[in-house]
Amino acid sequence: MKIIRFLAAAGTVLALLVIAACPIFAATEGSGDFKNDKGIEIPFGVPVDESWAKDPANYNVYEKPDPDIRIPVDSISLDARRTTATLNFKDPLNTGAEYIVDATDITSDGKVIGSRSFLVKKGEVQILLAIILGAMLINNFVFTKYLGLCIFFGVSQKKETAIGMGITFTLVMTLAAFFCWFLYNYVLEVLHLDFLKIIVFIGTTAIFVQFVDTILRKVNPYLFKTLGVYLVLIVTNCIVLAVPLIQTDSGYGPFESVSLGAGAGVGFAIALFLMACVREKLDVCRVPPTFVGLPIAFIVTGMFALAFLGFSGLSIF
Amino acid sequence: MNKNIQLLWNGLIPENPIFRLALSLCPAVAVTTSVKNGLMLGLAVVFVQVFSSCTVAIFRSYIHPRIRIPAYVIVIALWVSVIDMILPVISPAVYKEVALFVKLIVVFAIIISRLELFASKQPLIPSFFDGMGMGIGFTFGLCLVGAIRELSGVGQLFGYEVLGGAKPLLVMILPAGGFFVIGFIMATFNWLEYKITGKIPASGGGH
């Protein structure tokens, strides 16, 4: 019951965060969509002339990072209302990348109404889901990136603490990921202080751990007591520092950062829970005396890591 | 002087950070796909550990106990930033593989726990040797795990072919192999201690 209340509180905070971040993403230019992997669909919004639209010379297609490498358009088809054109290509496109389509001198009813460029990329939601799924399963931070092992072995003795820790950790991760993104892009980059990022990130995380510590003390004193010293130890967990470092290295935007943080947190929670289930059973097993404690825990983790290798081929999006 | 050698030895085997104290396990699995990576990160840790131990030992009377943890973190982050700028100049190729973990030295539990347990109470010289011993013990641990994994996983040592035509066991350089190797080495340490002292040691703290 208390966990549910805590979850609700966490959810509210996250929702507020997302709402607050929304205005940053207002689109600035026209956008198109991929159609399979050999076509791009661009909406003009007005009916265009067929003779103009079917001429491949009127389109300039390139990948966003290399404006010099033009991609030849094979053929073009218009829909019945003449407002949407579909560009077909000979070679398959890389749907993970961002493309720009420049349409020059768009002609409608014999009049030129100007040029427009379209940004074509996979849907935001798809990218975010891919990041979340990646951080959760395919590149699980514990089993394939070997981060956060300290806390992982420390609090995975009981299911209850594992769940509590998982939720707390996800919350801290998500908040810290967003604020680290904000600090890095609007303070450190602007002032050319990127070499200070390690110190700033660890400080930000420490603030959020203190924040969660204060909330948890009020909301769920029981869980607060069970987590004990490990709550403070979140600060020295590799994952909380690794996520901001990874997101700045890969140049993620705010939504992507938040999903990386949430994915990492949920992935860590899953790992903790699985491990706690096994370790509760291990207590009643006859383990060779020299293996009791950490050695057997390591070997069990190795087995989990083997199992998680199976996710490496997973790509839904 | 004798006491200082004792401190060095202490960090190497009886209180080996990885196998006995079970601290800073993440890098022990992550960067040990080869001996070279392990050695590189180990040396970085020696540097950070020695310099932060010395810094804290010198300023220990000025650091208020209530703010000691943030103070230690800042000291460590300072020296990590230094080594993070030095390493890419010395060896760019190896740095590329361990870059994330060099930055993550900030959160290695071993360093902050030595500051808390030792350097904050002892004068400069013993702190230096304690830091040195722990750092060397850590390097030793990384190299041992790295050697076993590189030898069995790709049949090489330091990048040189050793096993000849024998087919290597790929799983050893995958994440799972690291966990297995450390589990078995820890069990071996326990077994050795059991043979020597006749009792099973309590397992490490695990964080």
Side-chain angles (χ1 to χ4, degrees), chain A residues 142-144 146-150 153-154 195 198-199 202 230 233 235-236 238 241-242 245 289-291 293-295 298-299 301-303 305-306 309, chain B residues 22 25-26 29-30 73-74 77 80-81 85 100-101 103-104 106-107 171 174-176 179-180 182-184 186-187 190-191 200 203-207:
Chain A
V142 176
F143 294 132
T144 57
Y146 349 83
L147 290 168
L149 292 182
C150 326
F153 286 115
F195 60 90
I198 301 175
I199 300 177
I202 199 85
Y230 288 104
L233 275 182
V235 183
T236 55
C238 327
L241 190 57
L245 286 176
T290 43
F291 275 90
L294 274 181
F298 259 94
I299 290 176
T301 314
M303 307 257 185
L306 270 186
L309 270 184
Chain B
L25 297 167
C26 325
V29 187
V73 172
I74 297 296
V80 169
S81 298
M85 292 175 206
L100 180 61
F101 280 86
K103 293 189 182 82
L104 287 182
V106 184
V107 288
V171 71
L174 293 178
F179 290 116
F180 288 140
I182 293 184
F184 278 108
M186 273 182 174
N190 283 353
W191 181 76
I200 296 284
S203 60
H207 55 78

Side-chain angles (χ1 to χ4, degrees), chain B residues 2-188:
Chain B
N2 211 1
K3 208 177 139 208
N4 292 335
I5 292 172
Q6 183 67 35
L7 280 174
L8 275 180
W9 173 247
N10 193 31
L12 193 59
I13 303 286
E15 283 193 18
N16 187 291
I18 296 178
F19 306 125
R20 300 318 317 271
L21 300 182
L23 291 171
S24 311
L25 297 167
C26 325
V29 187
V31 297
T32 51
T33 46
S34 72
V35 191
K36 217 188 266 172
N37 291 357
L39 193 65
M40 185 78 161
L41 190 74
L43 291 181
V45 169
V46 171
F47 176 88
V48 175
Q49 176 79 72
V50 167
F51 277 87
S52 9
S53 277
C54 291
T55 316
V56 169
I58 292 172
F59 294 105
R60 68 184 190 284
S61 51
Y62 301 104
I63 298 175
H64 192 280
R66 201 173 283 165
I67 56 148
R68 67 187 192 287
I69 300 291
Y72 296 163
V73 172
I74 297 296
V75 168
I76 299 171
L78 171 79
W79 289 113
V80 169
S81 298
V82 171
I83 193 79
D84 192 45
M85 292 175 206
I86 295 177
L87 275 187
V89 181
I90 299 178
S91 166
V94 183
Y95 175 78
K96 236 183 187 168
E97 290 187 35
V98 297
L100 180 61
F101 280 86
V102 170
K103 293 189 182 82
L104 287 182
I105 294 179
V106 184
V107 288
F108 283 7
I110 175 64
I111 295 178
I112 201 159
S113 82
R114 282 337 277 181
L115 297 188
E116 169 83 14
L117 294 175
F118 200 93
S120 59
K121 299 176 188 122
Q122 305 276 353
L124 180 61
I125 304 291
S127 296
F128 173 82
F129 281 99
D130 180 71
M132 198 69 163
M134 281 295 153
I136 293 174
F138 189 78
T139 313
F140 165 72
L142 286 187
C143 289
L144 182 63
V145 180
I148 296 177
R149 288 180 73 187
E150 196 180 356
L151 192 64
S152 52
V154 284
Q156 297 174 339
L157 266 185
F158 280 101
Y160 296 108
E161 207 63 50
V162 176
L163 280 189
K167 201 172 179 194
L169 201 60
L170 181 67
V171 71
M172 297 312 263
I173 53 164
L174 293 178
F179 290 116
F180 288 140
V181 171
I182 293 184
F184 278 108
I185 295 180
M186 273 182 174
T188 316

Side-chain angles (χ1 to χ4, degrees), chain A residues 133 137-139 144 307-317:
Chain A
L133 210 67
L137 300 174
I138 305 165
N139 284 318
T144 57
F308 267 70
L309 270 184
F311 284 119
S312 58
L314 186 75
S315 69
I316 301 176
F317 304 106

